[in-house]
Amino acid sequence: MGFDPLSLGVMAAGAGLSTIGSGLTAGSQAKNGARQAAARNEVLRQQNAKLDKFAADNRGDFNTTIGTYDPNAQTAQRGALEATRAGDSDAAVNAATGAALAAPTGFSESASPAVAADFKSRMADASTRALEHGRAGAKLQAYDDSQLKNDLGNKQLARNIDTTNNYARGTAALTAPLQDFAQFQAYRPPSMLGGLVSGVGSLLSNYGGYSLGKGTSPFSGLFGGGANTAGLAPSVPFAKANNGFGVGV
Amino acid sequence: MGWDLFGTKKAAKTQAAIAGQAAAETQAREAKREADVGAGKTAIDQAFAQYNPDFFSNYKSAYLNNYNPQVDRQYTMAQDKLKAQLAGQGVLESGVGNNAFADLANTYATAKSGIAGQANDAANQLQSKIDNSKTSLYSANAAAADPQSAAAQATALSTSLAQPTTYSPLADLFSSALNSYGAYRSASNGNTGGGGGAIDPNANGPGGGYYRPSSTYGGSSVSTVG
């Protein structure tokens, strides 16, 4: 029993070419996929870099604000606010006691100098009491003033962060569409070579198998040669089996 | 391979060009939106720059100028009443009178100091209101992303905030001090020792008005005038 080596060779060549063609196609597809993935990743990197910058800006603003909460800074802030209030209070008290001292009390020329001196002394005491009262109030109110200043700073920080996050939200929302655009730009149609090679390989495989089944040489018809040059008798069970099952058994 | 048998390469190039154009337009629109938000924020900050320390200092001055004249007028009237009371009792030029005037002056000075503190409180409240408006505008700016619209809103709101508000008049500050003195004098008339007879707080003639100091006013070294 023997098989036509040419038919077998053609079949083998066809199978080989099919395999090579498949490989070429797969390779082309893999390269295309890798190119598109790289394009999407590059867009993602760029968008993430922008988001990282926004985060860094926010962190900088936050650190600046939190720095104002340093205990020494808070003490200095409170002291400055207390000084402002105390200054306003002192000015008001001095204006009032000055006016009170200047207002005629009805002292007559016959009033004793002791009474007049007593009047001035009591007025000075009254002024001192009012000044101390005002300064104590200024010290107390400075705590609320300082808290207000802290709150105003916090609100400005929140506004700045919200504005930056507005930018970040816009950037993040565009990431997916930009990735798609980049993918489309990176797309290349697959090479036809792989398909052609596979096609040729399939043709050869099928032809080789057909020739093997017919018991003829694959090239017999091409050169006008006799039939059955493969030396395979029609009565060979293999051929009969081939008649039923086509190429190969 | 260099051929384009079925036009697939050309189609892919066209798709790539369209995708590139779309990407560029999308990024340009986002860049413009960010620029609009940033410009709106700048417009708001510039509009609110007028609310500086000078603005609040002027506000405090306006507050003081509204209430201090009322205090001054009340003090002048209270002082006149006190003078009349003391003169009627003959203790105008005395330690009693001095003490009463000093207490009245203390009440006056404390009231003025209190108004100065209230002016600071009112300025703080105004500053908080203004800051709330600024926050509202930041939100509107982010939503609209239209710098011209945000600037127009900022100008309108900042102008309305600059209008002065009306304030209620002061209550009577010195009546309690004068009433306390009057009550003391009434009580002292029933507790006087030496000098003969009860003291009429409204007496104007000589001999009236002697009194011994009580613990209400403290101190035992108050001089009296005969």
Side-chain angles (χ1 to χ4, degrees):
Chain A
M1 151 175 173
F3 294 101
D4 177 19
L6 279 179
S7 296
L8 286 173
V10 168
M11 280 176 62
L17 284 176
S18 291
T19 303
I20 292 170
S22 297
L24 288 173
T25 300
S28 174
Q29 287 175 345
K31 284 182 187 173
N32 204 18
R35 189 166 42 241
Q36 291 176 75
R40 290 184 72 96
N41 288 344
E42 178 59 24
V43 167
L44 184 61
R45 265 193 295 274
Q46 290 172 359
Q47 297 295 89
N48 283 344
K50 288 183 185 176
L51 293 175
D52 289 345
K53 183 177 182 310
F54 292 141
D57 290 345
N58 281 344
R59 184 55 50 182
D61 287 343
F62 175 83
N63 289 339
T64 299
T65 299
I66 203 68
T68 65
Y69 281 84
D70 174 77
N72 293 334
Q74 286 287 296
T75 300
Q77 176 176 275
R78 209 162 42 243
L81 293 166
E82 177 187 341
T84 298
R85 276 197 181 252
D88 292 344
S89 174
D90 285 0
V93 168
N94 290 334
T97 52
L101 274 170
T105 60
F107 281 142
S108 65
E109 291 179 356
S110 62
S112 70
V115 173
D118 176 68
F119 173 74
K120 285 187 180 175
S121 173
R122 289 180 190 275
M123 290 299 279
D125 288 343
S127 174
T128 300
R129 277 184 283 130
L131 283 171
E132 288 172 353
H133 179 82
R135 287 168 189 168
K139 190 177 185 70
L140 184 63
Q141 286 295 325
Y143 285 86
D144 284 327
D145 291 351
S146 184
Q147 186 56 42
L148 173 66
K149 194 157 185 170
N150 292 342
D151 287 343
L152 290 173
N154 294 346
K155 285 178 69 178
Q156 184 60 45
L157 171 66
R159 286 191 289 260
N160 290 344
I161 288 177
D162 194 52
T163 299
T164 302
N165 286 351
N166 180 283
Y167 301 152
R169 283 192 291 272
T171 297
L174 290 184
T175 298
L178 288 176
Q179 282 184 305
D180 291 341
F181 293 144
Q183 181 179 348
F184 294 152
Q185 287 179 280
Y187 173 78
R188 297 287 182 273
S191 170
M192 294 178 63
L193 178 63
L196 285 174
V197 170
S198 288
V200 170
S202 293
L203 282 174
L204 288 176
S205 291
N206 287 335
Y207 186 62
Y210 175 77
S211 298
L212 196 64
K214 280 288 190 181
T216 60
S217 166
F219 302 109
S220 61
L222 292 174
F223 303 106
N228 204 8
T229 55
L232 189 65
S235 62
V236 171
F238 178 77
K240 286 183 181 175
N242 274 349
N243 285 339
F245 293 101
V247 175
V249 176
Chain B
M1 304 199 68
W3 67 75
D4 189 15
L5 188 62
F6 301 105
T8 53
K9 285 191 178 178
K10 184 180 177 184
K13 278 187 183 176
T14 302
Q15 177 179 275
I18 292 172
Q21 186 181 2
E25 284 178 4
T26 301
Q27 288 180 312
R29 283 185 62 82
E30 175 58 19
K32 180 179 184 303
R33 192 193 69 83
E34 286 185 17
D36 288 349
V37 171
K41 177 177 179 290
T42 300
I44 293 169
D45 290 343
Q46 286 175 349
F48 278 77
Q50 65 181 292
Y51 302 114
N52 51 19
D54 285 343
F55 174 85
F56 294 106
S57 178
N58 291 339
Y59 176 76
K60 281 163 54 176
S61 296
Y63 190 96
L64 293 173
N65 291 338
N66 180 58
Y67 285 112
N68 277 341
Q70 299 179 42
V71 178
D72 295 340
R73 183 167 168 273
Q74 287 190 22
Y75 173 69
T76 302
M77 292 172 62
Q79 202 178 33
D80 291 342
K81 285 182 186 175
L82 185 60
K83 273 187 228 172
Q85 286 181 354
L86 293 172
Q89 292 144 20
V91 292
L92 183 59
E93 295 174 352
S94 71
V96 174
N98 291 345
N99 205 37
F101 279 121
D103 282 348
L104 194 70
N106 180 262
T107 302
Y108 176 48
T110 301
K112 293 281 280 253
S113 172
I115 287 172
Q118 288 168 21
N120 276 301
D121 294 340
N124 288 343
Q125 287 180 9
L126 182 61
Q127 193 174 11
S128 291
K129 287 182 189 175
I130 291 170
D131 198 71
N132 289 341
S133 295
K134 193 176 181 183
T135 298
S136 298
L137 281 175
Y138 264 66
S139 300
N141 174 49
D146 180 353
Q148 289 189 336
S149 172
Q153 288 185 44
T155 302
L157 272 179
S158 65
T159 301
S160 68
L161 282 169
Q163 302 293 334
T165 56
T166 56
Y167 297 89
S168 54
L170 279 177
D172 190 352
L173 297 170
F174 300 100
S175 58
S176 61
L178 291 174
N179 290 340
S180 297
Y181 177 74
Y184 166 75
R185 292 302 301 165
S186 298
S188 296
N189 288 343
N191 293 328
T192 183
I199 296 178
D200 179 359
N202 293 319
N204 291 318
Y210 286 92
Y211 95 111
R212 304 276 180 211
S214 73
S215 63
T216 302
Y217 283 93
S220 57
S221 60
V222 174
S223 62
T224 57
V225 177

XYZ file of all heavy atoms in Angstrom, chain B residues 87-142:
390
model
N -28.785 118.812 93.645
C -28.921 120.205 94.101
C -30.135 120.340 95.001
O -30.097 121.059 96.007
C -29.038 121.129 92.884
N -31.180 119.632 94.663
C -32.391 119.693 95.487
C -32.135 119.160 96.885
O -32.776 119.572 97.847
N -31.184 118.223 96.996
C -30.869 117.673 98.319
C -29.684 118.383 98.949
O -29.289 118.054 100.075
C -30.563 116.178 98.187
C -31.777 115.363 97.808
C -31.446 114.224 96.879
O -30.285 113.819 96.807
N -32.436 113.731 96.169
N -29.127 119.306 98.220
C -28.006 120.064 98.787
C -26.719 119.282 98.857
O -25.834 119.600 99.656
N -26.576 118.255 98.066
C -25.340 117.462 98.104
C -24.622 117.514 96.766
O -23.861 116.611 96.422
C -25.629 116.002 98.496
C -26.094 115.906 99.930
C -26.655 115.395 97.550
N -24.911 118.586 95.984
C -24.308 118.658 94.654
C -22.788 118.688 94.768
O -22.093 117.958 94.086
C -24.824 119.897 93.920
C -24.321 120.067 92.476
C -24.701 118.871 91.625
C -24.889 121.347 91.865
N -22.288 119.580 95.621
C -20.833 119.703 95.764
C -20.406 118.939 97.004
O -20.079 119.501 98.057
C -20.450 121.177 95.866
C -20.748 121.953 94.584
C -20.501 123.440 94.743
O -20.249 123.884 95.873
O -20.570 124.153 93.746
N -20.463 117.626 96.855
C -20.138 116.767 97.982
C -19.635 115.443 97.472
O -19.675 115.169 96.259
C -21.383 116.544 98.853
O -22.295 115.711 98.148
N -19.176 114.664 98.386
C -18.737 113.326 98.025
C -19.869 112.499 97.475
O -19.677 111.690 96.554
N -21.064 112.721 98.053
C -22.231 111.986 97.544
C -22.452 112.332 96.075
O -22.643 111.461 95.216
C -23.480 112.324 98.375
C -24.713 111.685 97.770
C -23.279 111.877 99.814
N -22.410 113.637 95.805
C -22.602 114.077 94.429
C -21.499 113.562 93.534
O -21.755 113.118 92.403
N -20.274 113.648 94.036
C -19.151 113.170 93.220
C -19.321 111.705 92.878
O -19.073 111.277 91.740
C -17.831 113.359 93.983
C -17.468 114.820 94.126
O -18.040 115.685 93.441
N -16.536 115.113 95.018
N -19.724 110.920 93.885
C -19.905 109.494 93.681
C -20.989 109.231 92.647
O -20.844 108.372 91.767
C -20.257 108.827 95.005
C -19.872 107.365 95.011
O -18.846 106.990 94.451
N -20.703 106.549 95.612
N -22.084 109.988 92.761
C -23.189 109.795 91.813
C -22.752 110.154 90.404
O -23.064 109.446 89.431
C -24.390 110.631 92.240
N -22.046 111.265 90.282
C -21.566 111.656 88.947
C -20.589 110.617 88.391
O -20.597 110.312 87.187
C -20.890 113.026 89.001
C -21.853 114.183 88.975
C -21.884 115.090 90.009
C -22.723 114.351 87.906
C -22.784 116.156 89.979
C -23.607 115.404 87.879
C -23.653 116.315 88.916
N -19.729 110.103 89.273
C -18.747 109.107 88.816
C -19.438 107.838 88.341
O -19.063 107.243 87.328
C -17.759 108.790 89.939
N -20.463 107.422 89.094
C -21.191 106.237 88.662
C -21.897 106.472 87.326
O -21.936 105.593 86.461
C -22.212 105.820 89.730
C -21.554 105.088 90.879
O -20.371 104.710 90.738
O -22.210 104.881 91.917
N -22.468 107.652 87.201
C -23.140 107.979 85.938
C -22.134 107.986 84.797
O -22.403 107.489 83.691
C -23.835 109.338 86.050
C -24.847 109.636 84.934
C -26.075 108.744 85.068
C -25.283 111.100 84.980
N -20.955 108.555 85.068
C -19.911 108.589 84.036
C -19.445 107.185 83.697
O -19.157 106.870 82.537
C -18.735 109.444 84.516
N -19.377 106.330 84.729
C -18.979 104.941 84.487
C -20.005 104.242 83.597
O -19.651 103.510 82.668
C -18.805 104.204 85.804
C -18.393 102.743 85.591
O -19.228 101.845 85.617
N -17.120 102.510 85.373
N -21.281 104.473 83.890
C -22.340 103.890 83.050
C -22.218 104.401 81.618
O -22.370 103.642 80.654
C -23.722 104.251 83.617
O -23.818 103.766 84.961
C -24.832 103.641 82.788
N -21.959 105.706 81.492
C -21.799 106.326 80.175
C -20.627 105.709 79.415
O -20.755 105.311 78.249
C -21.597 107.828 80.378
C -21.320 108.636 79.135
C -22.096 108.496 77.995
C -20.287 109.572 79.115
C -21.853 109.253 76.857
C -20.046 110.334 77.991
C -20.820 110.178 76.871
O -20.566 110.939 75.747
N -19.470 105.620 80.077
C -18.281 105.081 79.424
C -18.464 103.613 79.066
O -18.050 103.156 77.997
C -17.056 105.261 80.324
N -19.107 102.866 79.974
C -19.344 101.446 79.703
C -20.290 101.285 78.517
O -20.115 100.386 77.681
C -19.924 100.755 80.947
O -19.009 100.909 82.038
C -20.142 99.275 80.699
N -21.299 102.160 78.435
C -22.233 102.095 77.298
C -21.510 102.383 75.992
O -21.738 101.705 74.979
C -23.366 103.089 77.506
N -20.641 103.384 76.009
C -19.906 103.710 74.774
C -18.979 102.556 74.391
O -18.817 102.204 73.225
C -19.075 104.997 74.985
C -19.916 106.257 75.183
C -20.439 106.797 73.886
C -19.392 107.580 73.150
N -19.605 109.024 73.152
N -18.338 101.960 75.410
C -17.474 100.811 75.140
C -18.285 99.661 74.569
O -17.857 98.967 73.640
C -16.777 100.378 76.431
O -16.090 99.159 76.238
N -19.500 99.453 75.136
C -20.357 98.387 74.640
C -20.766 98.606 73.202
O -20.815 97.669 72.399
N -21.049 99.852 72.853
C -21.435 100.153 71.467
C -20.265 99.924 70.533
O -20.439 99.450 69.403
C -21.977 101.594 71.372
C -23.360 101.641 72.021
C -22.049 102.065 69.931
C -23.919 103.004 72.174
N -19.051 100.238 70.986
C -17.871 99.962 70.166
C -17.751 98.458 69.920
O -17.430 98.008 68.812
C -16.615 100.492 70.844
N -18.025 97.649 70.946
C -17.999 96.201 70.781
C -19.094 95.726 69.845
O -18.880 94.852 69.007
N -20.282 96.324 69.976
C -21.393 95.947 69.103
C -21.087 96.304 67.649
O -21.526 95.607 66.730
C -22.671 96.645 69.550
C -23.243 96.091 70.845
C -24.326 96.980 71.425
O -24.914 97.791 70.703
N -24.579 96.860 72.706
N -20.377 97.406 67.469
C -19.987 97.788 66.098
C -19.097 96.709 65.491
O -19.236 96.354 64.315
C -19.274 99.135 66.116
N -18.175 96.182 66.283
C -17.332 95.086 65.795
C -18.165 93.848 65.491
O -17.968 93.176 64.475
C -16.265 94.745 66.841
C -15.044 95.630 66.748
O -14.374 95.685 65.722
N -14.754 96.363 67.810
N -19.123 93.534 66.368
C -19.981 92.369 66.150
C -20.793 92.532 64.873
O -20.943 91.596 64.077
C -20.934 92.171 67.331
C -20.207 91.806 68.612
O -19.050 91.347 68.530
O -20.795 91.983 69.702
N -21.355 93.732 64.692
C -22.164 93.982 63.493
C -21.304 93.866 62.237
O -21.766 93.340 61.211
C -22.805 95.373 63.581
N -20.074 94.362 62.301
C -19.177 94.251 61.145
C -18.876 92.790 60.843
O -18.806 92.383 59.678
C -17.886 95.021 61.411
N -18.712 91.985 61.892
C -18.461 90.553 61.682
C -19.666 89.882 61.031
O -19.517 89.034 60.148
C -18.147 89.875 63.013
C -16.768 90.248 63.539
O -15.932 90.743 62.791
N -16.536 90.008 64.823
N -20.871 90.249 61.480
C -22.078 89.663 60.896
C -22.197 90.038 59.424
O -22.550 89.200 58.589
C -23.311 90.139 61.656
C -23.456 89.500 63.026
C -24.686 90.003 63.762
O -25.518 90.710 63.190
N -24.798 89.657 65.023
N -21.896 91.292 59.145
C -21.964 91.729 57.751
C -20.939 90.981 56.906
O -21.218 90.580 55.767
C -21.724 93.233 57.679
C -21.805 93.846 56.282
C -23.189 93.642 55.682
C -21.467 95.323 56.331
N -19.768 90.778 57.473
C -18.720 90.063 56.742
C -19.165 88.630 56.447
O -18.900 88.095 55.359
C -17.429 90.066 57.565
C -16.202 89.633 56.774
C -14.915 89.771 57.546
O -14.931 90.006 58.748
N -13.792 89.616 56.876
N -19.849 88.007 57.395
C -20.344 86.647 57.171
C -21.384 86.624 56.060
O -21.377 85.729 55.203
C -20.967 86.090 58.458
O -19.977 85.859 59.421
N -22.285 87.597 56.069
C -23.324 87.648 55.026
C -22.680 87.805 53.656
O -23.076 87.157 52.680
C -24.268 88.828 55.278
C -25.214 88.632 56.440
C -26.134 89.846 56.551
C -26.944 89.786 57.819
N -27.759 91.002 57.995
N -21.712 88.698 53.588
C -21.046 88.934 52.313
C -20.334 87.672 51.841
O -20.349 87.323 50.660
C -20.064 90.116 52.445
C -20.847 91.416 52.627
C -19.139 90.210 51.248
C -19.991 92.598 53.001
N -19.729 86.977 52.769
C -19.026 85.747 52.403
C -19.995 84.684 51.899
O -19.674 83.918 50.984
C -18.243 85.228 53.612
C -17.164 84.245 53.218
O -16.163 84.666 52.621
O -17.337 83.048 53.482
N -21.186 84.625 52.485
C -22.200 83.677 52.010
C -22.593 83.994 50.570
O -22.786 83.091 49.747
C -23.444 83.726 52.903
C -23.197 83.119 54.269
O -22.247 82.363 54.453
N -24.034 83.458 55.229
N -22.721 85.274 50.277
C -23.060 85.662 48.904
C -21.951 85.245 47.948
O -22.211 84.820 46.817
C -23.274 87.168 48.821
O -24.379 87.559 49.581
N -20.721 85.379 48.414
C -19.594 84.999 47.549
C -19.649 83.507 47.240
O -19.403 83.082 46.103
C -18.284 85.346 48.255
C -17.057 85.291 47.379
C -15.841 85.751 48.158
C -14.605 85.725 47.271
N -13.386 86.094 48.024
N -20.003 82.716 48.251
C -20.113 81.275 48.039
C -21.195 80.961 47.018
O -21.020 80.107 46.145
C -20.419 80.576 49.365
O -19.346 80.799 50.279
C -20.588 79.079 49.168
N -22.322 81.654 47.114
C -23.411 81.429 46.157
C -22.946 81.723 44.744
O -23.270 80.992 43.800
C -24.605 82.330 46.497
O -25.110 82.023 47.769
N -22.178 82.770 44.611
C -21.716 83.140 43.271
C -20.707 82.142 42.728
O -20.696 81.855 41.522
C -21.110 84.533 43.306
C -22.130 85.661 43.314
C -21.438 86.994 43.471
C -22.948 85.645 42.037
N -19.857 81.616 43.602
C -18.921 80.590 43.145
C -19.700 79.401 42.585
O -19.337 78.827 41.555
C -18.038 80.135 44.310
C -16.686 80.819 44.387
C -16.592 82.185 44.655
C -15.517 80.106 44.200
C -15.361 82.804 44.741
C -14.276 80.723 44.286
C -14.204 82.070 44.562
O -12.968 82.675 44.639
N -20.772 79.019 43.273
C -21.577 77.879 42.811
C -22.227 78.190 41.471
O -22.235 77.352 40.560
C -22.660 77.553 43.844
O -22.080 77.214 45.078
N -22.765 79.406 41.368
C -23.417 79.783 40.109
C -22.410 79.806 38.971
O -22.704 79.386 37.847
C -24.073 81.159 40.274
N -21.214 80.286 39.260
C -20.176 80.356 38.229
C -19.810 78.974 37.719
O -19.689 78.749 36.520
C -18.942 81.053 38.812
C -17.776 81.034 37.851
O -17.914 81.379 36.687
N -16.620 80.619 38.333
N -19.650 78.053 38.636
C -19.292 76.694 38.230
C -20.398 76.086 37.390
O -20.144 75.363 36.437
C -19.020 75.843 39.468
